[in-house]
Amino acid sequence: LAPSQAQVYTVKPPAESLSKTIMAVLRCLQLLVVFAVIAPSAGKAGTDSTPSKPTPAAAATTRAPIISTDLFYDTADLIFDVSGAVYKRSLGPMVDKLTPQAQKAATEALDTVCAKAGIKKALIFEKVDAAKAALEVVKANAAAHMATATKLATDKVVIPAVTLFESAMPAYKNAIPKTL
């Protein structure tokens, strides 16, 4: 095709109402996280304002971890649950209805392209399978290197740093996990 005859395909941004809905859901999730952080301390507001200080030995045995990932994992679970429910209620039926049509159109388009280019369809799928196999090898190698790097960082940086902190601040012993 001549440059003047070329068709330009653009991806349209999502509908404004959908993006506003998503932003509203994200704001609600932010509020939930804030309330989850504030709520445990809010119940203690009416207690004695001058609590007695525990001894360092008692503090070391009763102190909760300083760094906890529970809030992050619980928030991620909430986000996944909400997004799954939104998908199931709004997009799921449409995707289920349109998937067979899209697969049929893609197969027809591939057949047409292969016929016009003179390429066998089996050869294309062979190359795609080879690329998938190569990607799996790359993923396995990356996972192995990541595990090695994580272990090295834990052994050489995290454990010595936490141990040094605990020796300087015995009241916080076992309050920081020695993992990444």
Side-chain angles (χ1 to χ4, degrees):
L1 293 174
S4 62
Q5 296 174 333
Q7 293 180 346
V8 177
Y9 295 98
T10 59
V11 177
K12 294 182 180 179
E16 187 175 318
S17 62
L18 179 62
S19 62
K20 285 183 180 179
T21 304
I22 291 171
M23 291 306 296
V25 168
L26 290 176
R27 285 189 196 106
C28 289
L29 290 175
Q30 288 174 339
L31 287 174
L32 284 173
V33 170
V34 169
F35 288 133
V37 171
I38 294 173
S41 62
K44 300 175 187 174
T47 60
D48 184 18
S49 62
T50 57
S52 61
K53 286 188 174 181
T55 62
T61 58
T62 61
R63 192 175 298 274
I66 293 174
I67 302 170
S68 175
T69 58
D70 292 342
L71 178 65
F72 297 108
Y73 284 115
D74 292 345
T75 304
D77 288 342
L78 175 67
I79 291 170
F80 290 134
D81 290 345
V82 168
S83 65
V86 168
Y87 174 81
K88 186 177 180 181
R89 290 183 185 164
S90 60
L91 296 176
M94 183 174 50
V95 169
D96 292 342
K97 179 182 173 186
L98 295 177
T99 297
Q101 296 172 7
Q103 289 173 339
K104 182 180 176 188
T107 302
E108 290 172 357
L110 181 62
D111 290 340
T112 303
V113 168
C114 288
K116 286 187 178 185
I119 300 172
K120 293 182 181 177
K121 191 173 170 181
L123 180 63
I124 292 174
F125 285 119
E126 195 176 292
K127 298 295 183 183
V128 168
D129 290 341
K132 286 180 182 177
L135 180 61
E136 290 302 317
V137 170
V138 168
K139 285 181 181 179
N141 286 338
H145 288 299
M146 187 64 176
T148 303
T150 301
K151 179 162 177 30
L152 184 65
T154 301
D155 292 345
K156 300 288 183 183
V157 178
V158 174
I159 292 175
V162 172
T163 304
L164 180 65
F165 176 77
E166 289 176 347
S167 66
M169 303 291 293
Y172 290 93
K173 188 163 181 79
N174 298 327
I176 301 175
K178 294 180 182 178
T179 60
L180 283 179

